[in-house]
Each structure stands twice: as structure tokens, then as C-alpha cells.
Amino acid sequence: MKILIVGNGGRENAIARSIFESDSFKKSNSELFCTVGNPGLDKICKPVNIKPTEIQELLEFAINEKIDFTVVGPEIPLSLGIADEFRKRGLKIFGPDKCAAEIESSKIFAKNLMQKYRIPTAKFREFSSGNIKEACEYLLCSKYPVVIKADGLAAGKGVIIANNFSEAKEVLTDLTENKIFGDSGLNFIIEEFLTGFELSLFVITDGTDYVALPFSQDHKKIGEGDTGKNTGGMGAYAPADIMINSDLHEKIMLEIIEPTLHGMKKEGRKYKGCLYCGLMISEFEHGVLVPYVIEFNARFGDPETQAVLPLIKSDFLELLIASEEETIRNYKLETFDKYACCVILASGGYPDKYETNKVINGLDINERDVFVFHSGTKYSEDGTGILTNGGRVLSVVALDGTSMNNAINRCYYTAGKIHFDKMYLRKDIGFKYSEKKIK
Ligand code: AMP
Ligand code: GLY
């Protein structure tokens, strides 16, 4: 079997490893290809020098190289319709069609879907650059903080929390006059600020049936204790099951996942692939936990994927293929009885300005259940060393069969062996898990 992975970050490294380790892959004398490979992927994937956004070139490559199955990592190729193009030509691919990927690429579409199918989410109103006056009137009567979200894709930066009216007005100016997110911010929503704790859930679906992977928790803020600027994610752990009880689990499946898949199908946008559900769990009186959808993404999350996928014991490649072939109902998910922690090693200064081309030392780690997935890395010019090449540089992942605390400690122990100039990492990944345990 020939498999092509589109994308080349930490998430795609983790996807590649899980495919590579699948029995169905090993059995069939298979080959893995990955777009614009990086030093982490090169050991198991043949690099393909095509960008994830060059859909026609990828299509040609897949046809010429007789690729059997393509797996799409990032959202942009999905929002550009890569899955539609591949399927039109009879090629098998993992990921939703363009109209289904709108669940991520248009926040307004996603919110209206949730409203129509009564899926719990923050109360909201939609506005555009054409009705700023109404938006301001709405903001004058709003309870603060409010959340303002650009409708379109904005590289994970399109959500802004405003603490008062004047901050909120500035955000509207940035979106519609300064166009900080280009056309993505000309339409926007204003929504109620929810409180609670966040969880991430990946659901692998063929549009009708689904398999829910272990819950995980991301750490989006740059600073310890969830402070400072939002980032792409500074670390994650899984399973986050200790954070939920069976009642909440059932609510999430019956009141969120199932109506979403049903709604998408009814709207003529049958959803195939990985549905990423970003949840806020609010705690009400008497300890009642209520889940709300913060966002949907049309893909796996980064860095949650790096923590979740190593926990999957059953054949991962078969799961992805079952999504495309619409046979999910026959798939039995098995997971390891282990705990996983992922810590991101970032360039100092990220998510603002940072330097690159720093030599990375200590990468020769060869331990069972420890993985170092590459994101922003590249080979040095003479090919002998590995250099930093981005904000988020590496994902260090460790598993442990006894406790989450041991997984966390093992992860930090490994991270301590790696070094590059101005390396930054959050030192408290998993802190909410530990707090929960102490209670
Ligand atoms: P998103 O890009 O939609 O995941 O939003 C980024 C982050 O903003 C989320 O992870 C939340 O921490 C926060 N956020 C988004 N929407 C809300 C909301 N309605 N209430 C509170 N926090 C929110
Ligand atoms: N970890 C957040 C995301 O992938 O969107």
C-alpha cells in the first residue's frame, strides 16, 4: 500500500508514526510519503516536494505514483477542497469534503448548525462589516468579557476576548477596517464568554457511525497557570477521562456528537474524517457538569494528536480507511491502559517574534514509549545537524502505564535532555489533571 500524508508538523509526525506502526501497514510491504518532509519524518516517509495547498500538484502526484490512500493533516487543504478533488478522480482520502470542512472554515456556519440542531454552545449573534452600527449597539448591552470570532480561518488567532466595550470596539476596527485577518474577519460573531475547563475530543467518523478517541486537554496559553497569549498549543495529555464522569460522557455523545453528525448529513454535508470537538465543561450547582461546544475543527488537533495517537492499540490505518470506506461500525477501538503527556519545545519569543536556525542537541533519544515529534525543524546546510525552523519546534511525548504523574515526569525528564539556544517550554503541562487528583 502507498500512503501519502499531507502536512508536515508535529501532528503529521504522530499520524505517520501511528500508520507506520499499524499491522495492516507492516503486513502489506507499504510505503509512506509526506509533503515537504522534515527531519523527523524523513526516517519513515519519502519526502514529496509539494506544498499542502498545491491541490492539483498533489492530485497529479497521487495519480502518477499510484497512491492508495491519502491522509490530510491541516485544515487549509480541506477548506480548499482537496478531498473533493481526490474523490472525483476515484482516489481514497481521509478528511471531509470542502462543504463539510466548513464546520471549521466558517464559524458562522458552525454556530448556525449548532443553533438549528440544538447543540449546546455559547449564545451568539452574527455581524459583518456592513452592520457595524448594530454590532456596537449589541456590544453596548453585552455582559463582559465577550468573545469576538472572525468567521473564516485565521491560523488559530481569530478568537479575541474583549474585557470591556472600548476593547471590543477596537477589535471590530481591527477586523473590518485594519483587516488584520484579511477577508476572514469581515464577517464575525460576538458570543457569550463561557467559564469552566476545556477538553478536546477527536471523533473518527464515516458520516453516520463514529469512534470517539480518548479525551485530551490542550494548554493553549504561553505561560504557566494558563496565562499570557494564546498559542497553537504548548502541551497536552491524554486520556483526560478523570475530568469527566459517565453522565457527562453520555451527554457529550448524545447531545453534541450525534446531533452534529446527523445535522451535517441532513444539510447535505455528510462529514467524513476526524471531527475535532473543542469543549468547555461548565460546572453548575451540585457539581452538575454541562458541556458546550467552543469550536469544531475539521482535522486532528495539534498537540493533542501527539498525546492521543500513541494510546491507540488497534490498527490506526484501518480506522482511517474505515472512515473513507464507510465501515466504521465494524471497527473496534482498543487503547493501551497507559497515560500520555506531550510537552512542546518552542523558540523563545513565540508566539511573537522568535529566532530560528539554532542547533538542536540531544535528539538521539531511543527509549520505549518516548517519542520526539518534529514541527519547526530542518537540516543544517551541510546535512549533519538539525536546526530550529519555527515557533513550535518539537513535541516530546512520554507514556507510562502506572500514572499520569509518571508520564508527566518522564516527559519532562526527556525534554531536559534536549537543548537549543532560547528554548522555551511550559513547566506545568497536566497541572489541571494533578489538581483534580488531589481534590
Ligand atoms: P478557538 O480558536 O475557537 O478554540 O478559541 C481559542 C480559545 O479561546 C479557546 O480554546 C478558549 O480558551 C477561548 N474561547 C473561545 N470561545 C470562548 C467562549 N465562548 N468562552 C470562553 N472562552 C472561549
Ligand atoms: N490544539 C488546538 C488545535 O489544534 O486547534
Side-chain angles (χ1 to χ4, degrees):
M1 225 184 324
K2 285 185 172 183
I3 316 271
L4 168 66
I5 296 175
V6 177
N8 66 342
R11 166 183 53 207
E12 288 76 16
N13 270 248
I15 292 172
R17 191 204 75 90
S18 287
I19 291 177
F20 193 77
E21 293 295 326
S22 296
D23 282 342
S24 59
F25 183 84
K26 288 187 198 157
K27 256 198 319 232
S28 60
N29 193 19
S30 308
E31 273 180 287
L32 257 183
F33 297 81
C34 186
T35 60
V36 229
N38 70 24
L41 279 168
D42 285 357
K43 287 188 201 89
I44 56 170
C45 295
K46 292 193 177 147
V48 178
N49 201 12
I50 305 175
K51 292 196 186 101
T53 47
E54 293 172 338
I55 310 292
Q56 286 310 316
E57 289 81 351
L58 287 170
L59 185 60
E60 252 169 61
F61 173 82
I63 292 169
N64 294 338
E65 198 60 51
K66 299 196 168 54
I67 297 289
D68 297 290
F69 190 54
T70 299
V71 180
V72 187
E75 64 277 16
I76 294 181
L78 294 166
S79 74
L80 293 173
I82 187 171
D84 311 56
E85 293 300 317
F86 273 54
R87 289 185 180 125
K88 255 192 247 160
R89 302 294 295 266
L91 296 177
K92 292 188 173 166
I93 187 161
F94 178 80
D97 283 336
K98 183 176 177 169
C99 66
E102 258 191 59
I103 202 159
E104 172 170 7
S105 63
S106 169
K107 300 235 188 232
I108 293 178
F109 167 73
K111 292 294 286 192
N112 284 323
L113 180 92
M114 287 187 261
Q115 195 170 48
K116 183 165 173 186
Y117 293 93
R118 297 173 187 274
I119 297 157
T121 189
K123 288 194 189 73
F124 74 103
R125 281 271 303 269
E126 62 176 277
F127 297 97
S128 72
S129 52
N131 59 1
I132 290 295
K133 199 169 153 256
E134 286 87 337
C136 285
E137 280 164 13
Y138 184 74
L139 284 172
L140 273 173
C141 312
S142 294
K143 199 172 142 223
Y144 285 86
V146 291
V147 185
I148 303 175
K149 298 186 173 181
D151 177 46
L153 295 177
K157 299 195 175 95
V159 174
I160 302 158
I161 294 165
N163 292 305
N164 50 51
F165 177 71
S166 85
E167 270 181 37
K169 240 184 122 211
E170 252 175 63
V171 175
L172 300 200
T173 309
D174 277 345
L175 292 180
T176 59
E177 284 177 37
N178 304 333
K179 296 192 183 172
I180 55 168
F181 302 127
D183 288 350
S184 284
L186 295 182
N187 298 312
F188 55 92
I189 55 178
I190 301 177
E191 73 175 30
E192 163 200 26
F193 181 82
L194 297 173
T195 53
F197 61 91
E198 291 181 55
L199 285 180
S200 304
L201 174 63
F202 302 151
V203 161
I204 311 300
T205 175
D206 54 16
T208 307
D209 296 299
Y210 67 94
V211 164
L213 301 187
F215 282 84
S216 56
Q217 192 171 50
D218 189 7
H219 297 63
K220 287 207 171 97
K221 301 278 188 190
I222 189 71
E224 272 126 37
D226 287 343
T227 52
K229 289 200 170 167
N230 253 333
T231 69
M234 295 305 294
Y237 66 85
D241 297 2
I242 197 170
M243 311 294 280
I244 55 181
N245 54 32
S246 59
D247 206 36
L248 179 62
H249 192 281
E250 192 174 295
K251 267 190 209 155
I252 294 169
M253 300 307 155
L254 298 184
E255 295 172 17
I256 293 178
I257 302 304
E258 292 178 18
T260 302
L261 298 181
H262 166 77
M264 290 297 278
K265 211 164 153 185
K266 261 197 113 180
E267 297 297 310
R269 299 172 190 249
K270 189 172 175 179
Y271 190 98
K272 288 167 73 163
C274 173
L275 180 68
Y276 167 133
C277 192
L279 297 164
M280 179 74 83
I281 314 294
S282 297
E283 206 163 341
F284 289 93
E285 275 168 47
H286 312 297
V288 176
L289 298 172
V290 179
Y292 295 90
V293 176
I294 290 268
E295 62 162 348
F296 285 121
N297 290 320
R299 50 159 176 87
F300 286 101
D302 189 333
E304 295 98 314
T305 302
Q306 292 89 306
V308 171
L309 297 199
L311 294 174
I312 298 177
K313 187 175 176 190
S314 43
D315 194 299
F316 181 65
L317 177 58
E318 273 180 5
L319 173 61
L320 303 185
I321 293 176
S323 158
E324 173 63 348
E325 294 188 341
E326 305 191 10
T327 55
I328 287 281
R329 90 189 74 87
N330 301 327
Y331 187 86
K332 291 274 165 292
L333 179 77
E334 282 178 75
T335 54
F336 290 111
D337 197 8
K338 292 184 185 178
Y339 303 85
C341 176
C342 166
V343 171
I344 297 289
L345 307 187
S347 299
Y350 171 80
D352 296 322
K353 260 198 172 160
Y354 54 82
E355 294 166 22
T356 55
N357 292 313
K358 308 286 185 193
V359 177
I360 308 174
N361 292 309
L363 283 174
D364 47 344
I365 288 159
N366 198 359
E367 259 179 71
R368 201 182 144 79
D369 276 352
V370 171
F371 313 103
V372 180
F373 297 120
H374 291 227
S375 306
T377 64
K378 65 175 181 189
Y379 286 113
S380 60
E381 254 172 46
D382 62 7
T384 56
I386 294 176
L387 307 179
T388 64
N389 189 34
R392 290 194 295 171
V393 177
L394 297 161
S395 309
V396 178
V397 179
L399 270 59
D400 188 88
T402 53
S403 73
M404 184 63 82
N405 272 344
N406 285 347
I408 293 170
N409 290 339
R410 223 178 151 201
C411 192
Y412 279 106
Y413 176 74
T414 310
K417 295 181 183 172
I418 301 173
H419 180 260
F420 54 88
D421 185 31
K422 301 199 169 75
M423 179 174 111
Y424 172 78
L425 74 168
R426 250 181 84 163
K427 297 193 182 69
D428 65 344
I429 302 303
F431 78 100
K432 284 190 187 144
Y433 189 99
S434 306
E435 276 174 6
K436 197 88 186 170
K437 252 188 143 174
I438 292 159
K439 265 184 203 169

